[in-house]
Amino acid sequence: SAPALGYRWWGVHGVGAWRNGEPIHVSTVSRLEDAFLSSDSYTSFSQRSTGEGAAFDGLVRRVARSRGFGDFWSHMLVAEGAIDVAVEPEVTLWDLAASSVIVEAAGGRFTNLAGEPGPDGGSVIATNGLLHDAVVESLRGSQ
């Protein structure tokens, strides 16, 4: 829930996802070159390691547009189809538990940077599903 915005999201695996009672679904963008990416901050990857910074920089250079919305907000934007990819190099389970269900119920994928499913991997890639493997591969140099 984001009370200041007047929004509440929810999802049920295999059933669907909603915002304020209206169904939501991830985007249909299928090429990184057309994608909109969000991260908590541009520098968060390079602060962890030079390799992660270089890999993230390469990803940012491939996508059509990038912004830093961060945390739950970027994941809900993926679920709604407003953006196509959200990545964060360092997060905790309580930051992602609800978001993972909503993104997946909306038709997306939710993994850590290594591509392992679930919200408890310490990092996150949330996508529309169509772009997921390309994002994981792009960031593979940081592993």
Side-chain angles (χ1 to χ4, degrees):
S1 293
L5 297 173
Y7 294 149
R8 177 171 286 180
W9 299 265
W10 64 93
V12 177
H13 280 290
V15 178
W18 297 265
R19 183 187 78 186
N20 293 352
E22 297 294 321
I24 58 174
H25 200 276
V26 296
S27 74
T28 58
V29 171
S30 61
R31 293 177 354 113
L32 278 177
E33 294 75 15
D34 299 323
F36 191 149
L37 175 141
S38 174
S39 183
D40 58 345
S41 78
Y42 187 82
T43 58
S44 61
F45 281 86
S46 61
Q47 289 170 344
R48 290 170 43 91
S49 82
T50 304
E52 285 185 353
F56 181 68
D57 185 59
L59 177 61
V60 168
R61 291 178 187 279
R62 286 188 66 191
V63 299
R65 189 170 191 181
S66 64
R67 292 289 185 270
F69 301 115
D71 296 333
F72 93 96
W73 181 244
S74 60
H75 308 303
M76 295 306 93
L77 291 174
V78 168
E80 293 179 1
I83 67 173
D84 313 298
V85 178
V87 295
E88 295 181 74
E90 193 168 352
V91 289
T92 57
L93 177 58
W94 54 83
D95 290 326
L96 303 176
S99 298
S100 67
V101 174
I102 296 166
V103 168
E104 290 175 349
R109 284 181 63 193
F110 204 94
T111 70
N112 65 14
L113 295 181
E116 299 162 347
D120 60 346
S123 60
V124 67
I125 299 171
T127 72
N128 66 2
L130 300 171
L131 300 166
H132 207 88
D133 292 338
V135 173
V136 171
E137 185 61 34
S138 226
L139 294 174
R140 191 162 307 275
S142 69
Q143 303 304 308

